[in-house]
Amino acid sequence: MSRAINMADKRLHTNLAGIYMNTPVLTASGTFGFGEEFAEFVDLSRLGGVMVKGTTLKPRRGNEGVRITETPMGMLNCIGLENPGVDVFLQETLPRLANYNMNVIVNISGSTVEEYGILAEMLDVPGVAAIELNVSCPNVKEGGIVFGTDPKAAAAVVKEAKAYTKKPVILKLSPNVTDIVTMAKAVEDAGADIISLINTLMGMEINIHTQKPTLGNVTGGLSGPCVKPVALRMVYQVAKAVKVPLIGMGGISCAEDAIEFLLAGASAVAVGTANFNDPTVTMKICDGISDYLAQRHLESVQDIIGAAL
Amino acid sequence: MPKVAVDGEIIAQHELAKDVWRMEVEAREIAREAEPGQFVQLQIPGGAFTLRRPVGIAEVSLQKGTVAFIYRVVGKGTKALAQLTAGTVINVLGPLGHGFSCEAKRPLLVGGGMGLSPLLFYAEHAEGKADVLMGGRCERELFWQDIYKPHVQEVFCTTDDGSCGTKGFTTTLLPELLQKGGYDLVIACGPEIMMQGIAKIAHEYNIPCQVSLEKRMGCGLGACLSCSIDTTSGERKKVCKDGPVFWAEEVFDLA
């Protein structure tokens, strides 16, 4: 699986807005279930946190038809936020997750600004380390992308959530905007404790045999190695413009990718699509960052965060 | 049961029929744990592919510590798999999902196309207790006959053009076979429309039926929800984790 936790891993200890993390490597929402699905392959306590499957007020069945397709160096998905709803999460899932020594970060999506407040308040409970506001899911019709592409709407969502929870609030930015920096500043000013970026890029595929779009939802979110240069650029730009810590994500599939994001100013990284190809990849990334620091005789991951800025 | 992701050497790889290949990989832990109906996810070496490819387990050799897969080249990924040669190392994630019920005393296996691949593992496991009914468009597609013969009592065939066995679909011959009696389980794998027809006939004859579903998958571990399906109870289930094998009445309306 991975080598045992060793002394060198102390180099990877970090703290984001009061969340203590054994490593700066998290898993991105929607790609890792609730974490338990990967427990046979990953030492969950060694992750900085698991950003669990997007949760909504009411259960959602998700989109119909084909939900996933591979593209060159990436994939498109249109799951459509299928989830059992926040009540089931609180009553059934969260108690189960207490068996694992890991930071549980709950990704929430609302159809209205008020719903973000309701969800934030419901999740202001022990066992939840932080709340990530998903204002950028490209695969749902109501809410979703609307909040993620308008700085005022994104700021309103942050303010609403902050008013109802004491947990750190993370705002996940959409890359489907003209100016990512304006979005980042708006949510920082609104009180976001951490900014995570990027969510998927909206894309599509057409099946030339059926002459129809492949995905049931026509469009889907593009992720995987192909989006990494875009994500890295956005993290770099945002890191120069804001003071809050960033969780960088988008196409990270090896330690070298993760180190690039840290150098670009991310205080932590999240791994998404790469978990599908290699369920143990997060452990390899932790090992690789540790080795990189050791080779340079650095004592802490803090020493490389933002070094390229 | 434990799942593992292991690097295994390809022991054998050859083309069985046009665009249909058999790959045998050394993966002792998976061979030991696998049950008929389960699948693995193969990582295509080289780093050019983002997703693994799910394939049913067709054969297991405990002695050699190998698992074998029979797969059709349908796209870039399976084409890349077919180009791998013996000696290459490939990462195998599995065994995944739930397999078929192995309690039956006299099972009838019904397969169409590549659906005959996971049923082969069942036939071997049943050690001569099973019969197989296989369907294809023409005789050429039923190259499976010789593969199955050592493992089953009888092989029944149907072809669309009548070039081998009964002219028609598997559902054409199935009532006659079930009428004779003796079978205590029908298990089906193939196109969904075929499995639905088989499930309805089995239901009419009051014989329990299991089907193996196919759906596009991401993680294979129940995390990404790419392969969610509706069940007759209204509950959402995941083909990769809750299946791929389901009791027919769970997924098809048989009334």
Side-chain angles (χ1 to χ4, degrees):
Chain A
M1 184 162 86
S2 72
R3 65 189 187 205
I5 295 173
N6 56 30
M7 291 302 284
D9 269 309
K10 281 190 177 167
R11 300 169 202 268
L12 300 184
H13 292 187
T14 192
N15 187 314
L16 250 66
I19 313 167
Y20 176 78
M21 296 177 180
N22 282 327
T23 66
V25 178
L26 296 90
T27 55
S29 175
T31 66
F32 209 67
F34 295 108
E36 54 196 346
E37 293 88 343
F38 281 78
E40 282 168 281
F41 303 100
V42 169
D43 176 358
L44 295 168
S45 70
R46 204 176 171 218
L47 292 172
V50 172
M51 302 165 114
V52 302
K53 176 71 193 156
T55 300
T56 52
L57 203 51
K58 301 279 180 221
R60 286 186 63 103
R61 300 181 71 77
N63 289 322
E64 298 302 319
V66 173
R67 289 175 162 197
I68 192 168
T69 187
E70 186 172 288
T71 57
M73 297 308 289
M75 60 168 243
L76 286 162
N77 90 84
C78 61
I79 309 301
L81 289 178
E82 179 180 335
N83 81 97
V86 69
D87 289 330
V88 172
F89 175 78
L90 285 167
Q91 286 155 25
E92 295 176 18
T93 314
L94 192 58
R96 232 171 35 232
L97 299 186
N99 296 322
Y100 304 100
N101 177 26
M102 65 176 179
N103 287 317
V104 175
I105 297 166
V106 187
N107 177 287
I108 60 172
S109 267
S111 302
T112 62
V113 171
E114 291 71 32
E115 274 189 21
Y116 283 94
I118 296 167
L119 284 161
E121 187 171 28
M122 291 176 80
L123 290 161
D124 194 11
V125 294
V128 174
I131 291 165
E132 182 181 51
L133 309 177
N134 181 1
V135 292
S136 44
C137 178
N139 300 321
V140 293
K141 288 187 177 69
E142 75 282 5
I145 197 79
V146 178
F147 298 122
T149 51
D150 175 1
K152 283 183 187 159
V157 168
V158 171
K159 280 182 187 161
E160 185 77 4
K162 285 292 290 178
Y164 289 96
T165 182
K166 293 182 194 69
K167 307 280 180 191
V169 167
I170 306 167
L171 189 288
K172 186 168 184 175
L173 288 179
S174 168
N176 302 307
V177 293
T178 312
D179 183 359
I180 192 89
V181 172
T182 302
M183 292 296 302
K185 281 182 174 168
V187 299
E188 180 183 48
D189 290 346
D193 299 290
I194 300 169
I195 295 173
S196 60
L197 70 167
I198 60 172
N199 205 321
T200 54
L201 283 146
M202 197 189 285
M204 75 178 293
E205 180 184 88
I206 294 173
N207 181 327
I208 63 163
H209 303 293
T210 63
Q211 303 190 342
K212 303 276 185 218
T214 303
L215 295 174
N217 197 46
V218 179
T219 60
L222 181 65
S223 62
C226 61
V227 309
K228 199 203 84 180
V230 176
L232 187 68
R233 181 265 294 179
M234 288 185 163
V235 166
Y236 183 83
Q237 288 178 324
V238 169
K240 278 177 174 273
V242 302
K243 291 191 175 63
V244 293
L246 307 181
I247 301 173
M249 63 186 86
I252 295 172
S253 59
C254 60
E256 289 80 0
D257 292 342
I259 291 163
E260 277 193 78
F261 276 80
L262 296 168
L263 294 170
S267 294
V269 296
V271 180
T273 302
N275 291 305
F276 299 167
N277 190 271
D278 178 2
T280 70
V281 71
T282 46
M283 298 294 101
K284 292 173 184 165
I285 291 173
C286 291
D287 291 343
I289 300 172
S290 184
D291 289 346
Y292 180 84
L293 297 174
Q295 283 156 14
R296 281 160 183 75
H297 309 292
L298 299 172
E299 287 179 7
S300 167
V301 69
Q302 306 298 333
D303 297 335
I304 62 166
I305 291 169
L309 292 173
Chain B
M1 83 204 62
K3 298 184 276 284
V4 291
V6 290
D7 284 332
E9 187 181 330
I10 298 174
I11 302 300
Q13 161 100 302
H14 67 279
E15 195 170 18
L16 291 176
K18 188 176 176 345
D19 292 333
V20 177
W21 290 72
R22 179 185 180 278
M23 178 191 284
E24 187 172 357
V25 180
E26 195 172 17
R28 195 165 290 280
E29 291 156 287
I30 294 175
R32 197 172 53 227
E33 296 292 334
E35 294 169 9
Q38 288 189 299
F39 68 102
V40 302
Q41 290 238 43
L42 298 175
Q43 186 185 53
I44 305 167
F49 293 88
T50 302
L51 298 176
R52 287 173 179 253
R53 295 298 186 273
V55 283
I57 299 170
E59 292 165 90
V60 157
S61 167
L62 290 174
Q63 203 179 6
K64 288 190 284 180
T66 60
V67 282
F69 319 105
I70 298 173
Y71 61 98
R72 185 188 295 279
V73 173
V74 288
K76 288 177 190 162
T78 40
K79 190 175 177 184
L81 279 178
Q83 284 166 350
L84 302 174
T85 52
T88 308
V89 171
I90 188 167
N91 191 271
V92 189
L93 169 65
L96 302 173
H98 293 280
F100 295 108
S101 165
C102 290
E103 308 297 310
K105 291 188 173 63
R106 186 86 176 103
L108 176 65
L109 320 181
V110 188
M114 296 312 295
L116 284 155
S117 168
L119 296 183
L120 181 61
F121 184 10
Y122 192 103
E124 286 188 354
H125 196 264
E127 294 177 323
K129 286 187 288 189
D131 287 348
V132 63
L133 165 58
M134 54 179 71
R137 275 175 296 191
C138 58
E139 186 173 19
R140 201 180 61 241
E141 286 190 3
L142 295 186
F143 62 88
W144 297 95
Q145 292 175 81
D146 291 339
I147 299 172
Y148 266 91
K149 269 174 192 160
H151 307 293
V152 293
Q153 289 183 21
E154 283 204 73
V155 176
F156 303 102
C157 298
T158 64
T159 44
D160 297 4
D161 64 0
S163 57
C164 177
T166 303
K167 188 172 191 294
F169 304 131
T170 52
T171 44
T172 312
L173 187 58
L174 184 62
E176 190 185 312
L177 298 180
L178 297 186
Q179 194 112 43
K180 286 186 199 156
Y183 298 115
D184 57 356
L185 177 68
V186 172
I187 67 172
C189 190
E192 199 162 309
I193 186 109
M194 181 201 93
M195 291 193 289
Q196 195 160 11
I198 286 161
K200 283 194 172 176
I201 295 166
H203 182 70
E204 282 165 27
Y205 286 86
N206 208 22
I207 298 170
C209 176
Q210 287 190 315
V211 295
S212 177
L213 300 189
E214 194 180 353
K215 196 92 172 156
R216 289 189 189 218
M217 288 175 189
C219 65
L221 302 171
C224 74
L225 308 187
S226 298
C227 62
S228 283
I229 54 157
D230 285 317
T231 58
T232 47
S233 68
E235 197 185 341
R236 278 289 219 197
K237 290 207 170 174
K238 304 158 196 168
V239 171
C240 72
K241 194 177 182 186
D242 303 316
V245 175
F246 294 92
W247 290 103
E249 59 271 23
E250 281 186 273
V251 290
F252 296 133
D253 184 5
L254 302 178

